[in-house]
Amino acid sequence: MSGSDPKTEIIETDLLVIGGGTGGPMAAIKAKEANPKLRVLVMEKANVKRSGAISMGMDGLNNAVVPGYATPEQYVKEITVANDGIVHQKAVMAYATGSFPMIQYLDKLGVKFEKDGSGEYNMRKVHHMGTYVLPMPEGHNVKKVLYRQLRRLQVAVTNRYMATRLLKGPDGAIAGAVGVNTRTGEFLVVRAKAVVLACGAAGRLGLPASGYMFGTYENAANCGDGYAMAYHAGAELANLECYQINPLIKDYNGPSCAYVTGPFGGFTANNKGDRFIECDYWSGQMMLEFWRELQSGNGPVYLKMDHLAEETISEIETILHTNERPSRGRFHERRGNDYRKRPVEMHISEIGFCSGHSASGVWVDETARTTIPGLYAVGDMASVPHNYMLGAFVNGGIAGADAAEYCAGVDLPAYDEGFLKAEQERVLAPTRRGDGLTPFEMEFKTRRLVNDYLEPPKVTAKMEIAQRRFAEIRDDLSELCARDPHELLRALEMQTILDCADMAAAASLYRTESRWGFYHLRVDHPETDNENWYCHTMLYKDEQGRMSHRKREIDPYVVPVEEEEMAAYHQLRVKTPVAAE
C-alpha cells in the first residue's frame, strides 16, 4: 500500500452513481429503466445491501403528497413557509409531483406502507399546515427491495470503494471519479459520462452530547464525502449555514419521533407535562422553541405518551422498535423507560449539513443537475429542502432519467492524468508515515471545536476562532498517519469533516442575519433581514482555490405565498391563556 506506484484499475461506464444508500440505487434503477443498454455502476464505500441511512429500514414517510390529503401546490407552499421562503420552488414542485407515483412504484416493488381497512394509504397529520405522514410499520425491507431491483436490471456494483475526488474533462464537464479500496488500499478510476452524487448528509460534523464519536443522529458513515467532492470539483453549495439540528432521545442517537407518535396522541412536553409547541414537525422555528424551553426553568423536554391507551402504545412500539433503529427498544428497556409510566427525555442533536431535514446542500435544479455539466446530486446532500427518504427516491429517479438522456448526447471525456497522480499522492500520504497523529485524534479535535465554536446560538468572534483553529488542524495534516486501509478510510473521512467544518464556519459568517429559527441564530445579527438576505447563499471554490461566496436570487415562485402565510411557522408556541379579570 505504501509503494511508489499504487495498484490502479481503470474502468469505463456511462453513468457512475456514488453512494448505494437511498437515492443512489433509485438513480441507477431509473437510468436503466430509461435505457436498458446504458452502462451503470454504483460505487459504495460499504456494501450496497446494508448501506446508507435506511440500512435497517424506515418507520414512515414524512412528506408523502397523496391525492385526497394534499396537492403538490399545498406541499410546495408548506415547505416554502417552513423554510422561511428560501427555496427553489421548481425543485420542490418536481419532488411533489413525483411523490405519489413513487409511492405507488415502491408499493408495487414490495415496500410496505400502512393502509386502512379499504386498502387506502393511512395518512396522518404532523405538519403545521398539511397532512403528509404515511407510517411504515413493516418498513424494514426497503434495502432488500432496492437490491433486488439492482440485480434484476444488471446494475454493476463496486462495494468497499470510497470515492475521494471527481474527475473533470478539458471543457470542465464531469469525467468520472477516483476511488480507493477500504480493505486493500488499491485505486479504482471510473471514467464516466455523468456522475450522480448520493453520499448522504454531513452527519459526523459535530460531536454528540453522549460523547460517542459514532453515536450521531445520522448514519455515521455519512460524514460529508459528497459535499467535499462537489466543493473540490467546483460545484456550488447552497445555504450551508442552515444547519441540521434535531430533537433526539437523551443519550441515544435516534429521534424521539414525536412526528411518529403525534398522530397517535403523543406530544412534546416540558417538565410540567405541558405542551409548549403546537406542531412537532421538525423546523428551525420548532427547534428554537425547543431550545428556549431547555434553557428555561421548564426543561428538560420530554416526549409524553403515558396518557395513551395500551393498544395505542403497543402500536407505537411496533413501529419504533422494529424499523430504522431497532436498538431503540433495547435502549429503553435497559434504562427502565416504559412509555406507559413516564415520558422520554429529549435533547438536541449535534449539528450537520442535510437537506433531508433542513436546507443545506449541493445546489441542484429541478432535474437534480448541479452547476457542473454531467454532475447530479440527490438525497440528503442535494439542496431540495425537507427531502427525507421519499425525496431521495423521487429526486434519485429524476436524476437517473435525466442522466440517461444526457449520456446519450456526449462522448466519454478524457481526464487529467496529472490530477490523478496528485490525488493518489494525497490519498496515500498518511500511509507513508511511520508515526504521527491518528485519524481518531484529529477527527475528535475537529469535531470538538465544531461544538465549541459553531453550534447555535452563533457568535461571530467564536466562529472566527474556529476558522483559525481549523487552519491549524489543516497544517497538522502533514502528521496524519494511517497504519492500514481501514485507518486510511478514517483519515480520508477526517479530511472531509474538516472541509465541512470550514464550510460551516464560512457560510455562517457570510449571512449576516438570523434565519431558520435555531438553525442560523446569530447573536450579533439577531434580526431577519429580508432586504439584504432574502436569497440563496452560494459557497464555492474559486479558480485560485479559495473558499468564496455569492448571493443567488430566488427564482419566481410557481406557487404564490401571501405575506401573512409566510409567518405560520413563527407561531408554533402554545399561547398561554390570559386569566380572566
Side-chain angles (χ1 to χ4, degrees):
M1 191 171 72
S2 59
S4 58
D5 190 16
K7 184 176 180 180
T8 305
E9 181 182 3
I10 301 175
I11 62 175
E12 296 180 1
T13 190
D14 294 315
L15 175 61
L16 170 63
V17 177
I18 302 176
T22 310
M26 188 57 70
I29 289 166
K30 289 299 182 180
K32 287 290 282 187
E33 288 181 351
N35 180 1
K37 294 182 179 180
L38 196 74
R39 298 173 298 172
V40 181
L41 172 68
V42 176
M43 181 187 291
E44 167 58 50
K45 68 179 178 181
N47 189 303
V48 171
K49 289 183 179 180
R50 281 294 188 188
S51 59
I54 61 167
S55 62
M56 299 302 290
M58 183 53 62
D59 53 24
L61 302 179
N62 299 341
N63 54 342
V65 185
V66 174
Y69 293 93
T71 65
E73 289 77 14
Q74 288 171 328
Y75 179 81
V76 170
K77 180 177 288 189
E78 177 106 35
I79 297 306
T80 301
V81 172
N83 212 52
D84 277 356
I86 310 299
V87 298
H88 181 51
Q89 274 199 353
K90 288 181 181 178
V92 180
M93 178 60 81
Y95 160 74
T97 55
S99 173
F100 189 61
M102 180 56 70
I103 293 171
Q104 293 176 306
Y105 178 81
L106 293 169
D107 199 339
K108 290 178 181 177
L109 293 182
V111 176
K112 296 182 179 181
F113 303 103
E114 185 175 84
K115 298 179 180 179
D116 61 22
S118 62
E120 299 295 325
Y121 295 116
N122 199 10
M123 300 296 296
R124 311 293 178 90
K125 180 175 172 58
V126 174
H127 292 63
H128 192 46
M129 295 157 61
T131 300
Y132 305 104
V133 171
L134 177 55
M136 298 171 63
E138 300 178 76
H140 48 77
N141 68 335
V142 181
K143 286 294 290 187
K144 292 180 181 179
V145 169
L146 289 176
Y147 188 68
R148 284 198 298 266
Q149 292 306 304
L150 293 175
R151 292 287 301 273
R152 183 181 69 83
L153 294 166
Q154 297 183 321
V155 173
V157 174
T158 58
N159 290 316
R160 305 296 176 188
Y161 275 95
M162 177 183 181
T164 64
R165 288 288 187 267
L166 298 170
L167 297 171
K168 295 172 72 176
D171 62 352
I174 211 68
V178 184
V180 63
N181 191 290
T182 61
R183 298 291 174 86
T184 66
E186 297 171 355
F187 282 91
L188 178 67
V189 177
V190 182
R191 299 183 61 193
K193 296 178 180 180
V195 173
V196 176
L197 287 174
C199 305
R204 221 164 83 216
L205 185 54
L207 275 176
S210 66
Y212 295 108
M213 286 180 66
F214 295 88
T216 53
Y217 165 75
E218 291 289 348
N219 174 8
N222 295 348
C223 62
D225 298 332
Y227 288 81
M229 282 189 284
Y231 169 74
H232 286 293
E236 294 190 348
L237 297 92
N239 306 315
L240 296 184
E241 64 277 12
C242 184
Y243 294 165
Q244 169 183 251
I245 306 171
N246 297 326
L248 303 185
I249 298 170
K250 184 74 165 64
D251 299 325
Y252 178 76
N253 65 327
S256 54
C257 286
Y259 59 87
V260 173
T261 63
F264 294 94
F267 60 87
T268 303
N270 58 28
N271 65 20
K272 298 179 175 63
D274 297 331
R275 184 166 198 161
F276 61 93
I277 48 176
E278 293 181 354
C279 169
D280 287 316
Y281 175 66
W282 293 356
S283 67
Q285 197 63 35
M286 178 267 199
M287 285 308 306
L288 179 58
E289 300 297 349
F290 191 107
W291 174 75
R292 285 171 172 165
E293 202 73 4
L294 283 177
Q295 305 305 309
S296 74
N298 293 327
V301 169
Y302 299 90
L303 176 62
K304 182 172 169 55
M305 295 176 285
D306 53 0
H307 59 291
L308 301 177
E310 169 61 31
E311 58 268 25
T312 303
I313 292 178
S314 295
E315 186 173 355
I316 290 172
E317 288 175 331
T318 298
I319 297 173
L320 294 184
H321 298 177
T322 60
N323 295 293
E324 187 182 357
R325 302 174 199 251
S327 61
R328 187 197 321 258
R330 295 193 297 274
F331 173 83
H332 286 317
E333 180 183 1
R334 293 173 185 177
R335 276 283 175 96
N337 222 14
D338 189 333
Y339 296 164
R340 299 156 185 81
K341 297 179 180 177
R342 64 173 183 233
V344 178
E345 185 180 355
M346 299 164 69
H347 199 60
I348 291 178
S349 75
E350 65 284 346
I351 69 170
F353 295 152
C354 178
S355 272
H357 300 93
S358 181
S360 40
V362 177
W363 174 264
V364 295
D365 65 11
E366 58 272 21
T367 61
R369 295 185 180 190
T370 71
T371 54
I372 296 177
L375 180 64
Y376 299 77
V378 302
D380 282 349
M381 63 163 290
S383 63
V384 186
H386 301 255
N387 227 354
Y388 301 100
M389 179 183 75
L390 187 56
F393 283 140
V394 172
N395 291 312
I398 291 172
D402 194 83
E405 184 177 349
Y406 175 87
C407 289
V410 298
D411 296 324
L412 190 68
Y415 66 91
D416 185 344
E417 294 187 7
F419 175 85
L420 172 61
K421 286 191 175 295
E423 174 60 8
Q424 289 177 319
E425 286 300 312
R426 182 191 75 87
V427 168
L428 291 179
T431 69
R432 292 171 175 161
R433 301 184 185 110
D435 194 16
L437 298 168
T438 69
F440 308 99
E441 290 171 319
M442 294 194 72
E443 178 181 333
F444 178 81
K445 183 174 183 178
T446 302
R447 294 171 65 191
R448 182 179 62 80
L449 294 174
V450 167
N451 281 24
D452 287 348
Y453 297 113
L454 298 188
E455 284 187 344
K458 301 177 183 179
V459 179
T460 298
K462 291 173 67 175
M463 292 188 289
E464 289 172 344
I465 292 172
Q467 289 183 312
R468 294 196 294 271
R469 298 299 302 277
F470 295 151
E472 293 167 2
I473 294 174
R474 200 167 289 282
D475 289 340
D476 289 341
L477 290 177
S478 61
E479 303 297 322
L480 178 62
C481 68
R483 295 166 293 184
D484 55 49
H486 180 75
E487 284 199 355
L488 177 59
L489 162 72
R490 296 294 180 225
L492 293 168
E493 289 182 331
M494 176 267 146
Q495 293 174 67
T496 282
I497 293 166
L498 181 58
D499 285 340
C500 290
D502 271 327
M503 288 190 276
S508 294
L509 284 166
Y510 181 63
R511 187 184 281 272
T512 52
E513 65 157 357
S514 288
R515 190 176 289 273
W516 302 299
F518 193 57
Y519 297 160
H520 184 62
L521 178 62
R522 289 197 65 172
V523 175
D524 317 78
H525 304 279
E527 302 300 323
T528 297
D529 180 4
N530 283 330
E531 183 178 349
N532 295 297
W533 292 105
Y534 197 74
C535 62
H536 301 285
T537 52
M538 313 299 284
L539 181 148
Y540 61 97
K541 188 176 184 178
D542 68 15
E543 294 180 356
Q544 286 73 44
R546 299 171 302 193
M547 194 170 289
S548 301
H549 309 267
R550 73 176 183 92
K551 296 180 181 180
R552 180 184 178 119
E553 289 187 6
I554 295 173
D555 286 11
Y557 286 169
V558 296
V559 178
V561 181
E562 299 297 331
E563 187 174 347
E564 58 270 19
E565 293 178 297
M566 199 67 81
Y569 271 76
H570 292 262
Q571 301 167 10
L572 296 184
R573 180 164 281 275
V574 172
K575 306 296 187 297
T576 303
V578 178
E581 295 182 1

